[in-house]
PDB file of all heavy atoms in Angstrom:
ATOM      1  N   TYR A  24    -107.192  -4.163 -84.186  1.00 98.00           N
ATOM      2  CA  TYR A  24    -107.400  -3.987 -85.604  1.00 98.00           C
ATOM      3  C   TYR A  24    -108.599  -3.227 -85.868  1.00 98.00           C
ATOM      4  O   TYR A  24    -108.567  -2.242 -86.619  1.00 98.00           O
ATOM      5  CB  TYR A  24    -107.455  -5.347 -86.166  1.00 98.00           C
ATOM      6  CG  TYR A  24    -107.531  -5.330 -87.764  1.00 98.00           C
ATOM      7  CD1 TYR A  24    -106.340  -5.492 -88.479  1.00 98.00           C
ATOM      8  CD2 TYR A  24    -108.790  -5.283 -88.409  1.00 98.00           C
ATOM      9  CE1 TYR A  24    -106.396  -5.395 -89.922  1.00 98.00           C
ATOM     10  CE2 TYR A  24    -108.836  -5.376 -89.885  1.00 98.00           C
ATOM     11  CZ  TYR A  24    -107.692  -5.392 -90.528  1.00 98.00           C
ATOM     12  OH  TYR A  24    -107.748  -5.270 -91.894  1.00 98.00           O
ATOM     13  N   ASP A  25    -109.708  -3.507 -85.138  1.00 96.00           N
ATOM     14  CA  ASP A  25    -110.956  -2.768 -85.429  1.00 96.00           C
ATOM     15  C   ASP A  25    -110.907  -1.403 -84.832  1.00 96.00           C
ATOM     16  O   ASP A  25    -111.379  -0.422 -85.423  1.00 96.00           O
ATOM     17  CB  ASP A  25    -112.156  -3.489 -84.826  1.00 96.00           C
ATOM     18  CG  ASP A  25    -112.779  -4.475 -85.836  1.00 96.00           C
ATOM     19  OD1 ASP A  25    -112.369  -4.368 -87.001  1.00 96.00           O
ATOM     20  OD2 ASP A  25    -113.589  -5.258 -85.435  1.00 96.00           O
ATOM     21  N   VAL A  26    -110.369  -1.215 -83.574  1.00 97.00           N
ATOM     22  CA  VAL A  26    -110.221   0.140 -83.000  1.00 97.00           C
ATOM     23  C   VAL A  26    -109.609   1.065 -83.952  1.00 97.00           C
ATOM     24  O   VAL A  26    -110.095   2.198 -84.327  1.00 97.00           O
ATOM     25  CB  VAL A  26    -109.497   0.156 -81.765  1.00 97.00           C
ATOM     26  CG1 VAL A  26    -109.154   1.537 -81.128  1.00 97.00           C
ATOM     27  CG2 VAL A  26    -110.268  -0.704 -80.602  1.00 97.00           C
ATOM     28  N   PHE A  27    -108.429   0.758 -84.489  1.00 97.00           N
ATOM     29  CA  PHE A  27    -107.629   1.706 -85.355  1.00 97.00           C
ATOM     30  C   PHE A  27    -108.332   1.849 -86.767  1.00 97.00           C
ATOM     31  O   PHE A  27    -108.355   3.015 -87.285  1.00 97.00           O
ATOM     32  CB  PHE A  27    -106.167   1.192 -85.510  1.00 97.00           C
ATOM     33  CG  PHE A  27    -105.429   1.307 -84.276  1.00 97.00           C
ATOM     34  CD1 PHE A  27    -104.891   0.161 -83.621  1.00 97.00           C
ATOM     35  CD2 PHE A  27    -105.009   2.538 -83.757  1.00 97.00           C
ATOM     36  CE1 PHE A  27    -104.190   0.249 -82.431  1.00 97.00           C
ATOM     37  CE2 PHE A  27    -104.408   2.677 -82.572  1.00 97.00           C
ATOM     38  CZ  PHE A  27    -103.906   1.482 -81.888  1.00 97.00           C
ATOM     39  N   ASN A  28    -108.916   0.860 -87.262  1.00 94.00           N
ATOM     40  CA  ASN A  28    -109.624   0.910 -88.496  1.00 94.00           C
ATOM     41  C   ASN A  28    -110.909   1.692 -88.390  1.00 94.00           C
ATOM     42  O   ASN A  28    -111.413   2.289 -89.445  1.00 94.00           O
ATOM     43  CB  ASN A  28    -109.891  -0.507 -89.148  1.00 94.00           C
ATOM     44  CG  ASN A  28    -108.763  -0.868 -89.948  1.00 94.00           C
ATOM     45  OD1 ASN A  28    -108.340  -0.284 -90.899  1.00 94.00           O
ATOM     46  ND2 ASN A  28    -108.304  -2.183 -89.689  1.00 94.00           N
ATOM     47  N   LEU A  29    -111.576   1.704 -87.267  1.00 93.00           N
ATOM     48  CA  LEU A  29    -112.784   2.403 -87.070  1.00 93.00           C
ATOM     49  C   LEU A  29    -112.667   3.678 -86.480  1.00 93.00           C
ATOM     50  O   LEU A  29    -113.631   4.324 -85.917  1.00 93.00           O
ATOM     51  CB  LEU A  29    -113.796   1.573 -86.357  1.00 93.00           C
ATOM     52  CG  LEU A  29    -114.258   0.304 -87.034  1.00 93.00           C
ATOM     53  CD1 LEU A  29    -115.062  -0.663 -86.173  1.00 93.00           C
ATOM     54  CD2 LEU A  29    -114.962   0.586 -88.253  1.00 93.00           C
ATOM     55  N   THR A  30    -111.434   4.313 -86.486  1.00 94.00           N
ATOM     56  CA  THR A  30    -111.235   5.676 -85.888  1.00 94.00           C
ATOM     57  C   THR A  30    -111.150   6.689 -86.963  1.00 94.00           C
ATOM     58  O   THR A  30    -110.503   6.577 -88.033  1.00 94.00           O
ATOM     59  CB  THR A  30    -109.854   5.699 -85.150  1.00 94.00           C
ATOM     60  OG1 THR A  30    -109.977   4.890 -83.987  1.00 94.00           O
ATOM     61  CG2 THR A  30    -109.580   7.124 -84.749  1.00 94.00           C
ATOM     62  N   PHE A  31    -111.985   7.817 -86.944  1.00 88.00           N
ATOM     63  CA  PHE A  31    -112.016   8.807 -87.891  1.00 88.00           C
ATOM     64  C   PHE A  31    -111.891  10.122 -87.263  1.00 88.00           C
ATOM     65  O   PHE A  31    -112.412  10.266 -86.015  1.00 88.00           O
ATOM     66  CB  PHE A  31    -113.415   8.758 -88.750  1.00 88.00           C
ATOM     67  CG  PHE A  31    -113.561   7.445 -89.499  1.00 88.00           C
ATOM     68  CD1 PHE A  31    -114.164   6.406 -88.932  1.00 88.00           C
ATOM     69  CD2 PHE A  31    -113.081   7.325 -90.765  1.00 88.00           C
ATOM     70  CE1 PHE A  31    -114.339   5.238 -89.695  1.00 88.00           C
ATOM     71  CE2 PHE A  31    -113.112   6.188 -91.491  1.00 88.00           C
ATOM     72  CZ  PHE A  31    -113.778   5.078 -90.926  1.00 88.00           C
ATOM     73  N   GLU A  46    -112.369   1.578 -99.549  1.00 72.00           N
ATOM     74  CA  GLU A  46    -111.689   2.006 -98.221  1.00 72.00           C
ATOM     75  C   GLU A  46    -111.575   3.549 -98.172  1.00 72.00           C
ATOM     76  O   GLU A  46    -111.184   4.145 -99.236  1.00 72.00           O
ATOM     77  CB  GLU A  46    -110.329   1.347 -98.035  1.00 72.00           C
ATOM     78  CG  GLU A  46    -109.691   1.497 -96.762  1.00 72.00           C
ATOM     79  CD  GLU A  46    -110.300   0.669 -95.657  1.00 72.00           C
ATOM     80  OE1 GLU A  46    -111.152  -0.233 -95.893  1.00 72.00           O
ATOM     81  OE2 GLU A  46    -110.021   0.972 -94.451  1.00 72.00           O
ATOM     82  N   LYS A  50    -108.043   8.040 -93.604  1.00 90.00           N
ATOM     83  CA  LYS A  50    -108.220   7.632 -92.182  1.00 90.00           C
ATOM     84  C   LYS A  50    -106.872   7.976 -91.471  1.00 90.00           C
ATOM     85  O   LYS A  50    -105.759   7.899 -92.013  1.00 90.00           O
ATOM     86  CB  LYS A  50    -108.408   6.139 -92.224  1.00 90.00           C
ATOM     87  CG  LYS A  50    -109.793   5.701 -92.874  1.00 90.00           C
ATOM     88  CD  LYS A  50    -109.825   4.218 -93.159  1.00 90.00           C
ATOM     89  CE  LYS A  50    -109.599   3.436 -91.834  1.00 90.00           C
ATOM     90  NZ  LYS A  50    -109.818   1.938 -92.139  1.00 90.00           N
ATOM     91  N   VAL A  54    -103.725   0.236 -91.147  1.00 97.00           N
ATOM     92  CA  VAL A  54    -103.441  -0.864 -90.362  1.00 97.00           C
ATOM     93  C   VAL A  54    -103.060  -2.027 -91.308  1.00 97.00           C
ATOM     94  O   VAL A  54    -103.806  -2.410 -92.120  1.00 97.00           O
ATOM     95  CB  VAL A  54    -104.669  -1.244 -89.495  1.00 97.00           C
ATOM     96  CG1 VAL A  54    -104.307  -2.417 -88.496  1.00 97.00           C
ATOM     97  CG2 VAL A  54    -105.181  -0.021 -88.710  1.00 97.00           C
TER      98      VAL A  54
END
Side-chain angles (χ1 to χ4, degrees):
Y24 185 91
D25 270 350
V26 170
F27 291 112
N28 269 309
L29 293 174
T30 295
F31 298 91
E46 189 74 10
K50 293 165 59 175
V54 188

